[in-house]
Amino acid sequence: MDRILIRGGNRLSGRLPISGAKNAALTLMPCALLTDEPLTLRNLPRLADVDGFGHLLNQLGASTAIEGTRPEDFGRVMTIRAGKLTSTEAPYDIVRKMRASILVLGPVLARAGEATVSLPGGCAIGNRPIDLHLKALEAIGAELEMAAGYVKAVAPGGRLSGGRYRFPVVSVGATENVVMAAVLARGSSVIENAAREPEIVDLCNCLVAMGARIAGIGTDTLEIEGVDRLHGATYAVMADRIEAGSYACAAAITGGSLELVGAHAGDMQATIDALRSAGVTVTDTKDGVLVEADGPLGPVDISTSPYPGFATDMQAQFMAMLCKATGTSVLTETIFENRYMHVPELARMGADVQVHGRTALVKGVDRLVGAPVMATDLRASMSLILAGLAAEGETSVSRVYHLDRGYERLEEKLSAVGADIERASDG
Ligand code: EPZ
């Protein structure tokens, strides 16, 4: 397994390219299953999860062809052709490795009239059930049966009817699944208390480009008029707002100045507001977002919440940054029940964080000291990288396969703006 070694203390400075969004790519790729025509996605990030999703699509009978990179994009171009599905099953050995595989349930059901998907099981940050996915699909006509760790969904008569569903809590993935299923339903659907994340907007815009009829895009009420078929399209994946926020924290914790090229300030306003509250200067530029930390960081109190609130996917990275702030910050994680696994690892580097249930008290320290630490999940890994950038001495982050799921070319991007960072192989 690979490790990442960082010798901290360098002030980061320069322009850093932001890749296509992982969490948009993972809901745009299954859209190709909704049509027998090609879907070409631009600006796809080079990530393990994107490759994994491509393998899953291949299992279902879709081809995935990488066609290089366009000059205006950082990411790759991939054309997905699902002319004919040869399978309607997402097997356990794929789903257990990548939860986002559950996002084939809605589109396969809509396209083929049936779908069998393994229950994903829990993950490091929580047990992450899929009950809301299933309830939403039932509300638009699906009949479900559970057996041996799988869920089998059937559309009576081969086509979903459409219907109305109000989510009791906001769910990004469940919103994505039901939207992808509803676009080919016989009738109309209304989804209330829908997630409003920018990745959902990207999904809806891509579906509309494919011929879907969706009103209320960007709001918590989506009205979908089912159509008989969708056609192919070419669509560019949005910039990754979480990657951008993560590198903004890198500028902040090192007292540096980074222009996040390709980032879209409108997608990350809560992160920008929190950075400004901590004393960081953030400026919208023609190429992206400029983040400058030319003074001490101050404490902030943050609660994660669904968009447009502060993203849970930014909590660990912000905690790392706040370890170097003056005073005591209060972070409250309201979305997942176990998203503080970075805390004991940060403590090995001298951080002072006390966790009480869903709340973490982060007491700023004058110095962090490099140490061997272990990544436990995607965003926790990034918090360790950030702490290493500011720590005295060398930090060695193990199990970086977690990072490779969501951060493209991390060492390359950080080295280019002054970090002393390299990847070492334990092999
Ligand atoms: C998506 O996960 C993201 N993943 C997550 O990013 C992100 O943290 C999360 O949304 C919240 O923004 C992808 O887009 C691939 P949810 P998802 O359904 O869809 C509960 C990262 O680091 N819930 O919005 O699984 C759930 O347990 C990853 O990039 C149910 O109870 O999240 C959680 O407490 C991590 N039943 C809350 O809702 C359900 O059926 C929000 O989960 C579904 C969810």
PDB file of all heavy atoms in Angstrom, residues 133-162:
ATOM      1  N   HIS A 133     -34.086   5.600  -0.420  1.00  0.00           N
ATOM      2  CA  HIS A 133     -34.054   5.269  -1.856  1.00  0.00           C
ATOM      3  C   HIS A 133     -35.255   4.395  -2.192  1.00  0.00           C
ATOM      4  O   HIS A 133     -35.962   4.614  -3.181  1.00  0.00           O
ATOM      5  CB  HIS A 133     -32.770   4.486  -2.205  1.00  0.00           C
ATOM      6  CG  HIS A 133     -31.494   5.224  -1.997  1.00  0.00           C
ATOM      7  ND1 HIS A 133     -30.619   5.520  -3.013  1.00  0.00           N
ATOM      8  CD2 HIS A 133     -30.904   5.699  -0.874  1.00  0.00           C
ATOM      9  CE1 HIS A 133     -29.560   6.164  -2.539  1.00  0.00           C
ATOM     10  NE2 HIS A 133     -29.707   6.277  -1.239  1.00  0.00           N
ATOM     11  N   LEU A 134     -35.475   3.377  -1.357  1.00  0.00           N
ATOM     12  CA  LEU A 134     -36.502   2.374  -1.652  1.00  0.00           C
ATOM     13  C   LEU A 134     -37.905   2.962  -1.516  1.00  0.00           C
ATOM     14  O   LEU A 134     -38.780   2.735  -2.357  1.00  0.00           O
ATOM     15  CB  LEU A 134     -36.315   1.156  -0.752  1.00  0.00           C
ATOM     16  CG  LEU A 134     -34.924   0.495  -0.825  1.00  0.00           C
ATOM     17  CD1 LEU A 134     -34.844  -0.717   0.082  1.00  0.00           C
ATOM     18  CD2 LEU A 134     -34.563   0.126  -2.263  1.00  0.00           C
ATOM     19  N   LYS A 135     -38.114   3.765  -0.463  1.00  0.00           N
ATOM     20  CA  LYS A 135     -39.437   4.367  -0.268  1.00  0.00           C
ATOM     21  C   LYS A 135     -39.781   5.321  -1.419  1.00  0.00           C
ATOM     22  O   LYS A 135     -40.911   5.353  -1.905  1.00  0.00           O
ATOM     23  CB  LYS A 135     -39.485   5.125   1.065  1.00  0.00           C
ATOM     24  CG  LYS A 135     -39.551   4.205   2.284  1.00  0.00           C
ATOM     25  CD  LYS A 135     -39.533   4.968   3.569  1.00  0.00           C
ATOM     26  CE  LYS A 135     -39.483   4.005   4.777  1.00  0.00           C
ATOM     27  NZ  LYS A 135     -38.707   4.576   5.886  1.00  0.00           N
ATOM     28  N   ALA A 136     -38.791   6.070  -1.868  1.00  0.00           N
ATOM     29  CA  ALA A 136     -39.048   7.010  -2.965  1.00  0.00           C
ATOM     30  C   ALA A 136     -39.387   6.254  -4.254  1.00  0.00           C
ATOM     31  O   ALA A 136     -40.331   6.621  -4.969  1.00  0.00           O
ATOM     32  CB  ALA A 136     -37.828   7.897  -3.168  1.00  0.00           C
ATOM     33  N   LEU A 137     -38.685   5.162  -4.519  1.00  0.00           N
ATOM     34  CA  LEU A 137     -38.953   4.394  -5.742  1.00  0.00           C
ATOM     35  C   LEU A 137     -40.329   3.730  -5.662  1.00  0.00           C
ATOM     36  O   LEU A 137     -41.074   3.680  -6.645  1.00  0.00           O
ATOM     37  CB  LEU A 137     -37.859   3.353  -5.970  1.00  0.00           C
ATOM     38  CG  LEU A 137     -36.481   3.925  -6.350  1.00  0.00           C
ATOM     39  CD1 LEU A 137     -35.425   2.820  -6.374  1.00  0.00           C
ATOM     40  CD2 LEU A 137     -36.548   4.632  -7.712  1.00  0.00           C
ATOM     41  N   GLU A 138     -40.684   3.250  -4.466  1.00  0.00           N
ATOM     42  CA  GLU A 138     -42.038   2.673  -4.305  1.00  0.00           C
ATOM     43  C   GLU A 138     -43.104   3.723  -4.585  1.00  0.00           C
ATOM     44  O   GLU A 138     -44.126   3.460  -5.214  1.00  0.00           O
ATOM     45  CB  GLU A 138     -42.211   2.126  -2.885  1.00  0.00           C
ATOM     46  CG  GLU A 138     -41.590   0.753  -2.657  1.00  0.00           C
ATOM     47  CD  GLU A 138     -41.868   0.233  -1.265  1.00  0.00           C
ATOM     48  OE1 GLU A 138     -41.673   0.991  -0.289  1.00  0.00           O
ATOM     49  OE2 GLU A 138     -42.293  -0.941  -1.157  1.00  0.00           O
ATOM     50  N   ALA A 139     -42.833   4.957  -4.163  1.00  0.00           N
ATOM     51  CA  ALA A 139     -43.834   6.024  -4.323  1.00  0.00           C
ATOM     52  C   ALA A 139     -44.099   6.322  -5.795  1.00  0.00           C
ATOM     53  O   ALA A 139     -45.159   6.858  -6.149  1.00  0.00           O
ATOM     54  CB  ALA A 139     -43.356   7.290  -3.613  1.00  0.00           C
ATOM     55  N   ILE A 140     -43.144   5.989  -6.669  1.00  0.00           N
ATOM     56  CA  ILE A 140     -43.387   6.245  -8.099  1.00  0.00           C
ATOM     57  C   ILE A 140     -43.695   4.948  -8.850  1.00  0.00           C
ATOM     58  O   ILE A 140     -43.593   4.884 -10.074  1.00  0.00           O
ATOM     59  CB  ILE A 140     -42.213   7.016  -8.753  1.00  0.00           C
ATOM     60  CG1 ILE A 140     -40.918   6.214  -8.728  1.00  0.00           C
ATOM     61  CG2 ILE A 140     -42.029   8.387  -8.109  1.00  0.00           C
ATOM     62  CD1 ILE A 140     -39.819   6.849  -9.619  1.00  0.00           C
ATOM     63  N   GLY A 141     -44.028   3.886  -8.080  1.00  0.00           N
ATOM     64  CA  GLY A 141     -44.568   2.695  -8.736  1.00  0.00           C
ATOM     65  C   GLY A 141     -43.757   1.445  -8.636  1.00  0.00           C
ATOM     66  O   GLY A 141     -44.195   0.377  -9.074  1.00  0.00           O
ATOM     67  N   ALA A 142     -42.580   1.486  -8.049  1.00  0.00           N
ATOM     68  CA  ALA A 142     -41.743   0.275  -7.987  1.00  0.00           C
ATOM     69  C   ALA A 142     -42.313  -0.706  -6.976  1.00  0.00           C
ATOM     70  O   ALA A 142     -42.872  -0.303  -5.950  1.00  0.00           O
ATOM     71  CB  ALA A 142     -40.315   0.655  -7.597  1.00  0.00           C
ATOM     72  N   GLU A 143     -42.195  -2.003  -7.287  1.00  0.00           N
ATOM     73  CA  GLU A 143     -42.499  -3.052  -6.314  1.00  0.00           C
ATOM     74  C   GLU A 143     -41.173  -3.673  -5.901  1.00  0.00           C
ATOM     75  O   GLU A 143     -40.340  -4.007  -6.755  1.00  0.00           O
ATOM     76  CB  GLU A 143     -43.430  -4.089  -6.935  1.00  0.00           C
ATOM     77  CG  GLU A 143     -44.835  -3.522  -7.174  1.00  0.00           C
ATOM     78  CD  GLU A 143     -45.765  -4.550  -7.821  1.00  0.00           C
ATOM     79  OE1 GLU A 143     -45.303  -5.693  -8.091  1.00  0.00           O
ATOM     80  OE2 GLU A 143     -46.930  -4.196  -8.062  1.00  0.00           O
ATOM     81  N   LEU A 144     -40.958  -3.776  -4.573  1.00  0.00           N
ATOM     82  CA  LEU A 144     -39.645  -4.184  -4.074  1.00  0.00           C
ATOM     83  C   LEU A 144     -39.743  -5.481  -3.300  1.00  0.00           C
ATOM     84  O   LEU A 144     -40.734  -5.740  -2.621  1.00  0.00           O
ATOM     85  CB  LEU A 144     -39.075  -3.113  -3.140  1.00  0.00           C
ATOM     86  CG  LEU A 144     -39.002  -1.681  -3.684  1.00  0.00           C
ATOM     87  CD1 LEU A 144     -38.544  -0.743  -2.578  1.00  0.00           C
ATOM     88  CD2 LEU A 144     -38.075  -1.605  -4.870  1.00  0.00           C
ATOM     89  N   GLU A 145     -38.712  -6.311  -3.405  1.00  0.00           N
ATOM     90  CA  GLU A 145     -38.591  -7.431  -2.478  1.00  0.00           C
ATOM     91  C   GLU A 145     -37.138  -7.547  -2.053  1.00  0.00           C
ATOM     92  O   GLU A 145     -36.212  -7.255  -2.829  1.00  0.00           O
ATOM     93  CB  GLU A 145     -39.079  -8.732  -3.112  1.00  0.00           C
ATOM     94  CG  GLU A 145     -38.301  -9.131  -4.358  1.00  0.00           C
ATOM     95  CD  GLU A 145     -38.864 -10.431  -4.974  1.00  0.00           C
ATOM     96  OE1 GLU A 145     -39.941 -10.360  -5.600  1.00  0.00           O
ATOM     97  OE2 GLU A 145     -38.213 -11.469  -4.793  1.00  0.00           O
ATOM     98  N   MET A 146     -36.924  -7.891  -0.793  1.00  0.00           N
ATOM     99  CA  MET A 146     -35.573  -8.013  -0.255  1.00  0.00           C
ATOM    100  C   MET A 146     -35.288  -9.502  -0.050  1.00  0.00           C
ATOM    101  O   MET A 146     -36.114 -10.222   0.499  1.00  0.00           O
ATOM    102  CB  MET A 146     -35.464  -7.315   1.106  1.00  0.00           C
ATOM    103  CG  MET A 146     -36.145  -5.965   1.147  1.00  0.00           C
ATOM    104  SD  MET A 146     -35.229  -4.741   0.221  1.00  0.00           S
ATOM    105  CE  MET A 146     -34.095  -4.253   1.484  1.00  0.00           C
ATOM    106  N   ALA A 147     -34.110  -9.944  -0.501  1.00  0.00           N
ATOM    107  CA  ALA A 147     -33.747 -11.354  -0.269  1.00  0.00           C
ATOM    108  C   ALA A 147     -32.227 -11.481  -0.289  1.00  0.00           C
ATOM    109  O   ALA A 147     -31.563 -10.959  -1.202  1.00  0.00           O
ATOM    110  CB  ALA A 147     -34.343 -12.245  -1.351  1.00  0.00           C
ATOM    111  N   ALA A 148     -31.695 -12.147   0.740  1.00  0.00           N
ATOM    112  CA  ALA A 148     -30.272 -12.509   0.789  1.00  0.00           C
ATOM    113  C   ALA A 148     -29.348 -11.332   0.559  1.00  0.00           C
ATOM    114  O   ALA A 148     -28.372 -11.414  -0.176  1.00  0.00           O
ATOM    115  CB  ALA A 148     -29.997 -13.596  -0.256  1.00  0.00           C
ATOM    116  N   GLY A 149     -29.709 -10.194   1.141  1.00  0.00           N
ATOM    117  CA  GLY A 149     -28.824  -9.032   1.067  1.00  0.00           C
ATOM    118  C   GLY A 149     -28.955  -8.235  -0.218  1.00  0.00           C
ATOM    119  O   GLY A 149     -28.159  -7.350  -0.496  1.00  0.00           O
ATOM    120  N   TYR A 150     -29.974  -8.602  -1.013  1.00  0.00           N
ATOM    121  CA  TYR A 150     -30.217  -7.860  -2.258  1.00  0.00           C
ATOM    122  C   TYR A 150     -31.614  -7.241  -2.209  1.00  0.00           C
ATOM    123  O   TYR A 150     -32.504  -7.760  -1.533  1.00  0.00           O
ATOM    124  CB  TYR A 150     -30.126  -8.796  -3.462  1.00  0.00           C
ATOM    125  CG  TYR A 150     -28.714  -9.108  -3.895  1.00  0.00           C
ATOM    126  CD1 TYR A 150     -27.917  -9.987  -3.155  1.00  0.00           C
ATOM    127  CD2 TYR A 150     -28.150  -8.520  -5.020  1.00  0.00           C
ATOM    128  CE1 TYR A 150     -26.616 -10.263  -3.535  1.00  0.00           C
ATOM    129  CE2 TYR A 150     -26.851  -8.801  -5.417  1.00  0.00           C
ATOM    130  CZ  TYR A 150     -26.090  -9.670  -4.674  1.00  0.00           C
ATOM    131  OH  TYR A 150     -24.796  -9.935  -5.059  1.00  0.00           O
ATOM    132  N   VAL A 151     -31.787  -6.178  -2.973  1.00  0.00           N
ATOM    133  CA  VAL A 151     -33.124  -5.635  -3.185  1.00  0.00           C
ATOM    134  C   VAL A 151     -33.447  -5.812  -4.661  1.00  0.00           C
ATOM    135  O   VAL A 151     -32.618  -5.523  -5.530  1.00  0.00           O
ATOM    136  CB  VAL A 151     -33.235  -4.159  -2.769  1.00  0.00           C
ATOM    137  CG1 VAL A 151     -32.242  -3.273  -3.503  1.00  0.00           C
ATOM    138  CG2 VAL A 151     -34.651  -3.630  -2.993  1.00  0.00           C
ATOM    139  N   LYS A 152     -34.634  -6.397  -4.920  1.00  0.00           N
ATOM    140  CA  LYS A 152     -35.073  -6.520  -6.312  1.00  0.00           C
ATOM    141  C   LYS A 152     -36.238  -5.566  -6.513  1.00  0.00           C
ATOM    142  O   LYS A 152     -37.211  -5.578  -5.746  1.00  0.00           O
ATOM    143  CB  LYS A 152     -35.506  -7.951  -6.640  1.00  0.00           C
ATOM    144  CG  LYS A 152     -36.027  -8.038  -8.073  1.00  0.00           C
ATOM    145  CD  LYS A 152     -36.130  -9.425  -8.615  1.00  0.00           C
ATOM    146  CE  LYS A 152     -36.504  -9.367 -10.108  1.00  0.00           C
ATOM    147  NZ  LYS A 152     -36.594 -10.690 -10.710  1.00  0.00           N
ATOM    148  N   ALA A 153     -36.095  -4.703  -7.506  1.00  0.00           N
ATOM    149  CA  ALA A 153     -37.161  -3.734  -7.815  1.00  0.00           C
ATOM    150  C   ALA A 153     -37.757  -4.087  -9.161  1.00  0.00           C
ATOM    151  O   ALA A 153     -37.037  -4.431 -10.100  1.00  0.00           O
ATOM    152  CB  ALA A 153     -36.582  -2.322  -7.853  1.00  0.00           C
ATOM    153  N   VAL A 154     -39.093  -4.006  -9.235  1.00  0.00           N
ATOM    154  CA  VAL A 154     -39.798  -4.303 -10.485  1.00  0.00           C
ATOM    155  C   VAL A 154     -40.790  -3.193 -10.772  1.00  0.00           C
ATOM    156  O   VAL A 154     -41.437  -2.666  -9.867  1.00  0.00           O
ATOM    157  CB  VAL A 154     -40.551  -5.652 -10.370  1.00  0.00           C
ATOM    158  CG1 VAL A 154     -41.424  -5.890 -11.595  1.00  0.00           C
ATOM    159  CG2 VAL A 154     -39.557  -6.791 -10.180  1.00  0.00           C
ATOM    160  N   ALA A 155     -40.867  -2.805 -12.054  1.00  0.00           N
ATOM    161  CA  ALA A 155     -41.893  -1.850 -12.478  1.00  0.00           C
ATOM    162  C   ALA A 155     -43.032  -2.653 -13.087  1.00  0.00           C
ATOM    163  O   ALA A 155     -42.852  -3.260 -14.143  1.00  0.00           O
ATOM    164  CB  ALA A 155     -41.306  -0.894 -13.515  1.00  0.00           C
ATOM    165  N   PRO A 156     -44.187  -2.692 -12.439  1.00  0.00           N
ATOM    166  CA  PRO A 156     -45.309  -3.480 -12.966  1.00  0.00           C
ATOM    167  C   PRO A 156     -45.633  -3.071 -14.403  1.00  0.00           C
ATOM    168  O   PRO A 156     -45.679  -1.872 -14.711  1.00  0.00           O
ATOM    169  CB  PRO A 156     -46.463  -3.124 -12.025  1.00  0.00           C
ATOM    170  CG  PRO A 156     -45.815  -2.658 -10.766  1.00  0.00           C
ATOM    171  CD  PRO A 156     -44.532  -1.986 -11.193  1.00  0.00           C
ATOM    172  N   GLY A 157     -45.775  -4.059 -15.271  1.00  0.00           N
ATOM    173  CA  GLY A 157     -46.048  -3.743 -16.669  1.00  0.00           C
ATOM    174  C   GLY A 157     -44.831  -3.196 -17.390  1.00  0.00           C
ATOM    175  O   GLY A 157     -44.918  -2.732 -18.528  1.00  0.00           O
ATOM    176  N   GLY A 158     -43.697  -3.222 -16.713  1.00  0.00           N
ATOM    177  CA  GLY A 158     -42.455  -2.805 -17.381  1.00  0.00           C
ATOM    178  C   GLY A 158     -42.156  -1.324 -17.318  1.00  0.00           C
ATOM    179  O   GLY A 158     -41.126  -0.861 -17.790  1.00  0.00           O
ATOM    180  N   ARG A 159     -43.059  -0.523 -16.718  1.00  0.00           N
ATOM    181  CA  ARG A 159     -42.787   0.933 -16.672  1.00  0.00           C
ATOM    182  C   ARG A 159     -43.325   1.521 -15.376  1.00  0.00           C
ATOM    183  O   ARG A 159     -44.433   1.185 -14.945  1.00  0.00           O
ATOM    184  CB  ARG A 159     -43.451   1.612 -17.883  1.00  0.00           C
ATOM    185  CG  ARG A 159     -42.986   3.048 -18.087  1.00  0.00           C
ATOM    186  CD  ARG A 159     -43.543   3.651 -19.352  1.00  0.00           C
ATOM    187  NE  ARG A 159     -43.044   5.014 -19.557  1.00  0.00           N
ATOM    188  CZ  ARG A 159     -43.469   5.818 -20.534  1.00  0.00           C
ATOM    189  NH1 ARG A 159     -44.408   5.387 -21.377  1.00  0.00           N
ATOM    190  NH2 ARG A 159     -42.980   7.039 -20.662  1.00  0.00           N
ATOM    191  N   LEU A 160     -42.537   2.392 -14.769  1.00  0.00           N
ATOM    192  CA  LEU A 160     -42.959   3.055 -13.531  1.00  0.00           C
ATOM    193  C   LEU A 160     -44.096   4.022 -13.835  1.00  0.00           C
ATOM    194  O   LEU A 160     -44.180   4.591 -14.936  1.00  0.00           O
ATOM    195  CB  LEU A 160     -41.770   3.793 -12.911  1.00  0.00           C
ATOM    196  CG  LEU A 160     -40.631   2.891 -12.404  1.00  0.00           C
ATOM    197  CD1 LEU A 160     -39.386   3.714 -12.107  1.00  0.00           C
ATOM    198  CD2 LEU A 160     -41.078   2.102 -11.172  1.00  0.00           C
ATOM    199  N   SER A 161     -44.963   4.212 -12.818  1.00  0.00           N
ATOM    200  CA  SER A 161     -46.157   5.047 -13.057  1.00  0.00           C
ATOM    201  C   SER A 161     -45.875   6.541 -12.849  1.00  0.00           C
ATOM    202  O   SER A 161     -46.525   7.400 -13.424  1.00  0.00           O
ATOM    203  CB  SER A 161     -47.259   4.628 -12.072  1.00  0.00           C
ATOM    204  OG  SER A 161     -46.737   4.709 -10.744  1.00  0.00           O
ATOM    205  N   GLY A 162     -44.891   6.821 -11.960  1.00  0.00           N
ATOM    206  CA  GLY A 162     -44.736   8.198 -11.487  1.00  0.00           C
ATOM    207  C   GLY A 162     -45.555   8.358 -10.212  1.00  0.00           C
ATOM    208  O   GLY A 162     -46.359   7.498  -9.853  1.00  0.00           O
TER     209      GLY A 162
END
